[in-house]
Amino acid sequence: MANRFTDPRPQFLDSTPGVYAGAGLFFYVTGTTTKTDTYSDAALTAENTNPVVLDSAGRLPNDVFLDPNVTYKVVLAAAGYSDPPSAA
């Protein structure tokens, strides 16, 4: 069974705290900069984009489910960051 990545609709804020509109959540295999898939359904059949881009309210546009066979590293980067972001 898939694991849901956190609260289904968290709001991401920056340090000011302003809304992190358009920011991206990059998902990698832990210890690497190799992107790995996340899914919008618990059956793991509908892949999300990578990065998952936050909406204008700083929220995920849909659910994010994680493959239980993968160990994920998640990097939150401001809009416009390259891949991998400098924080990776």
Side-chain angles (χ1 to χ4, degrees), residues 10 17 20 44 55 60 67 70 77-79 82 87:
Y20 237 143
L44 304 181
D55 66 17
L60 295 167
D67 183 333
V70 176
S82 62

Side-chain angles (χ1 to χ4, degrees), residues 1-2 6 9 11 28 31 33 37-39 41 45 51 54 56 60 62-66 76 80 87:
M1 168 158 296
T6 194
R9 295 287 187 254
Q11 185 174 43
Y28 300 98
T33 56
D37 293 326
T38 64
Y39 303 87
D41 65 325
T45 59
L54 303 180
S56 61
L60 295 167
N62 51 266
D63 288 333
V64 175
F65 288 91
L66 307 178
L76 175 64

Side-chain angles (χ1 to χ4, degrees):
M1 168 158 296
N3 300 310
R4 186 186 302 268
F5 172 71
T6 194
D7 174 348
R9 295 287 187 254
Q11 185 174 43
F12 293 86
L13 306 172
D14 63 22
S15 62
T16 62
V19 172
Y20 237 143
L25 279 176
F26 290 82
F27 292 84
Y28 300 98
V29 174
T30 297
T32 74
T33 56
T34 302
K35 284 182 169 181
T36 191
D37 293 326
T38 64
Y39 303 87
S40 61
D41 65 325
L44 304 181
T45 59
E47 293 179 7
N48 288 315
T49 59
N50 195 351
V52 176
V53 179
L54 303 180
D55 66 17
S56 61
R59 297 186 187 280
L60 295 167
N62 51 266
D63 288 333
V64 175
F65 288 91
L66 307 178
D67 183 333
N69 299 309
V70 176
T71 304
Y72 289 84
K73 171 175 74 173
V74 183
V75 178
L76 175 64
Y81 266 71
S82 62
D83 178 29
S86 58

